[in-house]
Amino acid sequence: MKDDKKHLSVSAIQNGTVIDHIPAQNLFKVISILGLDNISNQITFGSNFGSAKMGKKAIVKIADKYFERDEINRIAIVAPNAKLNIIKDYEVVEKMVVEVPDSIKGIVRCMNPKCITNVEGIDTRFDVVDKADVTLKCCYCEKITDSDHMDFV
Ligand code: CTP
Ligand code: ZN
């Protein structure tokens, strides 16, 4: 292990996943989307660290947990630049970036107030029609929800 690990703001982990470059304001959305509020693994996090690229960033470290690709991609809407570091025996053995998925279940509200998902509280489902500037098409009412109108469940 490198000496600079001694100076981490959030302690190094032995095994697990470090999710870095989360926009600070979306830290708790990431925690909720990944279901981290319902698991028994050790979790450490820090927020409002300075980042040259993105203003304030947050970081989450989950011990003894490795995510599937489709689980990781669920955070793309709230943390498009997140980097996942896979840690084994204190070393970073792999880095992964998130990719905006083709479709999204839950997470986002449909911006159409008359949509059945809003009226009857049904879980939302969207097709992603633009991945670069995330734009979602509701599978129920076909209305478009763009990134300027994105509201989270
Ligand atoms: N990390 C950790 N526990 C370890 C090893 C690394 O918590 N045993 C964390 C580091 O604190 C860092 C992230 O995992 O936040 C990535 O580690 P590393 O690749 O060594 O850092 P950087 O080179 O700064 O990564 P990048 O520039 O890709 O963000
Ligand atoms: Zn809708």
Side-chain angles (χ1 to χ4, degrees), residues 110 112 115-117 126 138 140-143:
C110 177
N112 169 14
C115 178
I116 189 167
T117 61
F126 301 92
C138 180
Y140 293 97
C141 72
E142 301 197 328
K143 285 271 176 348

PDB file of all heavy atoms in Angstrom, residues 110 112 115-117 126 138 140-143, ligand 2:
ATOM      1  N   CYS A 110     -42.272  11.020 -13.438  1.00  0.00           N
ATOM      2  CA  CYS A 110     -42.730  11.514 -14.737  1.00  0.00           C
ATOM      3  C   CYS A 110     -43.183  12.960 -14.525  1.00  0.00           C
ATOM      4  O   CYS A 110     -43.886  13.259 -13.553  1.00  0.00           O
ATOM      5  CB  CYS A 110     -43.878  10.650 -15.250  1.00  0.00           C
ATOM      6  SG  CYS A 110     -44.528  11.262 -16.815  1.00  0.00           S
ATOM      7  N   ASN A 112     -45.294  14.638 -16.156  1.00  0.00           N
ATOM      8  CA  ASN A 112     -46.704  14.850 -16.498  1.00  0.00           C
ATOM      9  C   ASN A 112     -47.562  14.600 -15.246  1.00  0.00           C
ATOM     10  O   ASN A 112     -47.689  13.467 -14.795  1.00  0.00           O
ATOM     11  CB  ASN A 112     -47.086  13.882 -17.632  1.00  0.00           C
ATOM     12  CG  ASN A 112     -48.574  13.836 -17.888  1.00  0.00           C
ATOM     13  OD1 ASN A 112     -49.318  14.693 -17.428  1.00  0.00           O
ATOM     14  ND2 ASN A 112     -48.997  12.812 -18.628  1.00  0.00           N
ATOM     15  N   CYS A 115     -50.041  11.770 -15.404  1.00  0.00           N
ATOM     16  CA  CYS A 115     -49.555  10.403 -15.673  1.00  0.00           C
ATOM     17  C   CYS A 115     -50.058   9.459 -14.585  1.00  0.00           C
ATOM     18  O   CYS A 115     -50.091   9.817 -13.396  1.00  0.00           O
ATOM     19  CB  CYS A 115     -48.031  10.401 -15.715  1.00  0.00           C
ATOM     20  SG  CYS A 115     -47.327   8.771 -15.993  1.00  0.00           S
ATOM     21  N   ILE A 116     -50.385   8.235 -14.992  1.00  0.00           N
ATOM     22  CA  ILE A 116     -50.892   7.238 -14.041  1.00  0.00           C
ATOM     23  C   ILE A 116     -49.903   6.997 -12.897  1.00  0.00           C
ATOM     24  O   ILE A 116     -50.294   6.701 -11.768  1.00  0.00           O
ATOM     25  CB  ILE A 116     -51.239   5.922 -14.789  1.00  0.00           C
ATOM     26  CG1 ILE A 116     -51.979   4.952 -13.874  1.00  0.00           C
ATOM     27  CG2 ILE A 116     -50.000   5.260 -15.378  1.00  0.00           C
ATOM     28  CD1 ILE A 116     -52.622   3.791 -14.607  1.00  0.00           C
ATOM     29  N   THR A 117     -48.607   7.182 -13.187  1.00  0.00           N
ATOM     30  CA  THR A 117     -47.595   6.960 -12.140  1.00  0.00           C
ATOM     31  C   THR A 117     -47.718   8.006 -11.034  1.00  0.00           C
ATOM     32  O   THR A 117     -47.377   7.746  -9.888  1.00  0.00           O
ATOM     33  CB  THR A 117     -46.170   7.008 -12.730  1.00  0.00           C
ATOM     34  OG1 THR A 117     -45.950   8.301 -13.306  1.00  0.00           O
ATOM     35  CG2 THR A 117     -45.953   5.929 -13.777  1.00  0.00           C
ATOM     36  N   PHE A 126     -39.188   4.319 -17.775  1.00  0.00           N
ATOM     37  CA  PHE A 126     -38.848   5.205 -18.898  1.00  0.00           C
ATOM     38  C   PHE A 126     -37.913   4.513 -19.874  1.00  0.00           C
ATOM     39  O   PHE A 126     -37.081   3.701 -19.462  1.00  0.00           O
ATOM     40  CB  PHE A 126     -38.101   6.457 -18.401  1.00  0.00           C
ATOM     41  CG  PHE A 126     -38.844   7.291 -17.403  1.00  0.00           C
ATOM     42  CD1 PHE A 126     -38.691   7.070 -16.048  1.00  0.00           C
ATOM     43  CD2 PHE A 126     -39.684   8.314 -17.826  1.00  0.00           C
ATOM     44  CE1 PHE A 126     -39.363   7.854 -15.112  1.00  0.00           C
ATOM     45  CE2 PHE A 126     -40.347   9.102 -16.901  1.00  0.00           C
ATOM     46  CZ  PHE A 126     -40.199   8.869 -15.543  1.00  0.00           C
ATOM     47  N   CYS A 138     -41.640   8.451 -20.922  1.00  0.00           N
ATOM     48  CA  CYS A 138     -42.442   7.629 -20.016  1.00  0.00           C
ATOM     49  C   CYS A 138     -43.059   6.458 -20.782  1.00  0.00           C
ATOM     50  O   CYS A 138     -43.634   6.637 -21.855  1.00  0.00           O
ATOM     51  CB  CYS A 138     -43.528   8.483 -19.391  1.00  0.00           C
ATOM     52  SG  CYS A 138     -44.595   7.578 -18.260  1.00  0.00           S
ATOM     53  N   TYR A 140     -45.628   4.863 -19.843  1.00  0.00           N
ATOM     54  CA  TYR A 140     -47.081   4.889 -19.646  1.00  0.00           C
ATOM     55  C   TYR A 140     -47.740   5.997 -20.467  1.00  0.00           C
ATOM     56  O   TYR A 140     -48.664   5.749 -21.216  1.00  0.00           O
ATOM     57  CB  TYR A 140     -47.410   5.071 -18.161  1.00  0.00           C
ATOM     58  CG  TYR A 140     -47.000   3.875 -17.331  1.00  0.00           C
ATOM     59  CD1 TYR A 140     -45.793   3.870 -16.636  1.00  0.00           C
ATOM     60  CD2 TYR A 140     -47.809   2.738 -17.263  1.00  0.00           C
ATOM     61  CE1 TYR A 140     -45.403   2.766 -15.892  1.00  0.00           C
ATOM     62  CE2 TYR A 140     -47.435   1.635 -16.527  1.00  0.00           C
ATOM     63  CZ  TYR A 140     -46.221   1.646 -15.834  1.00  0.00           C
ATOM     64  OH  TYR A 140     -45.846   0.557 -15.104  1.00  0.00           O
ATOM     65  N   CYS A 141     -47.260   7.241 -20.328  1.00  0.00           N
ATOM     66  CA  CYS A 141     -47.952   8.354 -20.998  1.00  0.00           C
ATOM     67  C   CYS A 141     -47.169   8.915 -22.179  1.00  0.00           C
ATOM     68  O   CYS A 141     -47.647   9.810 -22.870  1.00  0.00           O
ATOM     69  CB  CYS A 141     -48.241   9.469 -19.990  1.00  0.00           C
ATOM     70  SG  CYS A 141     -46.773  10.384 -19.483  1.00  0.00           S
ATOM     71  N   GLU A 142     -45.940   8.400 -22.396  1.00  0.00           N
ATOM     72  CA  GLU A 142     -45.083   8.805 -23.526  1.00  0.00           C
ATOM     73  C   GLU A 142     -44.590  10.250 -23.461  1.00  0.00           C
ATOM     74  O   GLU A 142     -43.938  10.727 -24.381  1.00  0.00           O
ATOM     75  CB  GLU A 142     -45.780   8.527 -24.872  1.00  0.00           C
ATOM     76  CG  GLU A 142     -46.133   7.052 -25.026  1.00  0.00           C
ATOM     77  CD  GLU A 142     -46.446   6.647 -26.445  1.00  0.00           C
ATOM     78  OE1 GLU A 142     -46.977   7.491 -27.182  1.00  0.00           O
ATOM     79  OE2 GLU A 142     -46.164   5.498 -26.800  1.00  0.00           O
ATOM     80  N   LYS A 143     -44.870  10.960 -22.372  1.00  0.00           N
ATOM     81  CA  LYS A 143     -44.352  12.328 -22.231  1.00  0.00           C
ATOM     82  C   LYS A 143     -42.841  12.268 -21.957  1.00  0.00           C
ATOM     83  O   LYS A 143     -42.343  11.315 -21.374  1.00  0.00           O
ATOM     84  CB  LYS A 143     -45.058  13.042 -21.073  1.00  0.00           C
ATOM     85  CG  LYS A 143     -46.483  13.463 -21.423  1.00  0.00           C
ATOM     86  CD  LYS A 143     -46.492  14.849 -22.037  1.00  0.00           C
ATOM     87  CE  LYS A 143     -47.842  15.358 -22.514  1.00  0.00           C
ATOM     88  NZ  LYS A 143     -48.964  14.494 -22.621  1.00  0.00           N
TER      89      LYS A 143
HETATM   90 ZN    ZN B   2     -45.819   9.423 -17.534  1.00  0.00          ZN
END
